[in-house]
Amino acid sequence: QVQLVESGGGLVQPGGSLRLSCAASRSIASINIMGWYRQAPGKQRQLVATIAPVTSSGMINYADSAKGRFTISRDIAENTVYLQMNSLKPEDTAVYYCNARIDPPFLTPGDYWGQGTQVTVSS
């Protein structure tokens, strides 16, 4: 199992930046894929970015809306995945959720979610 705790959300002006953090309760070296998703009011939850923490390259993938503005990264020693968000737009306003997917042979396989952190982009 793993518990995920997001932090770093808040209110920011258009064009501003935020860095979200997702702290995991276990080594992210034993998590296959971690990612950030967001859900705006009245919309479905959508993928923002994913990363495979243990690979050299990180096997990073971004949604088109995130490319060029957002950067996902990880710190294995701190069991933490980050989402650096720059050039924020009002349409980025959403609750951002951290996700962890654990597959065999890692223990306690499953799909895990954090509680979410609110990002509001407004002047």
Side-chain angles (χ1 to χ4, degrees), residues 43-101:
K43 295 187 176 182
Q44 299 278 66
R45 189 173 299 186
Q46 296 182 325
L47 180 144
V48 178
T50 62
I51 185 169
V54 301
T55 64
S56 179
S57 68
M59 294 187 64
I60 294 170
N61 289 287
Y62 294 100
D64 287 343
S65 60
K67 291 179 180 178
R69 299 189 299 127
F70 295 1
T71 303
I72 189 169
S73 61
R74 84 286 187 272
D75 188 327
I76 294 176
E78 299 220 339
N79 295 338
T80 301
V81 170
Y82 304 95
L83 184 69
Q84 178 68 45
M85 303 188 295
N86 299 325
S87 302
L88 284 163
K89 306 172 182 178
E91 51 262 44
D92 295 318
T93 296
V95 178
Y96 284 71
Y97 296 90
C98 182
N99 170 257
R101 195 190 81 193

Side-chain angles (χ1 to χ4, degrees), residues 6-66:
E6 303 99 330
S7 62
L11 175 65
V12 65
Q13 295 183 2
S17 298
L18 286 173
R19 189 180 74 160
L20 307 183
S21 298
C22 174
S25 64
R26 67 188 277 175
S27 173
I28 62 174
S30 64
I31 298 173
N32 295 88
I33 299 174
M34 299 191 70
W36 289 96
Y37 294 72
R38 68 186 184 188
Q39 187 167 19
K43 295 187 176 182
Q44 299 278 66
R45 189 173 299 186
Q46 296 182 325
L47 180 144
V48 178
T50 62
I51 185 169
V54 301
T55 64
S56 179
S57 68
M59 294 187 64
I60 294 170
N61 289 287
Y62 294 100
D64 287 343
S65 60

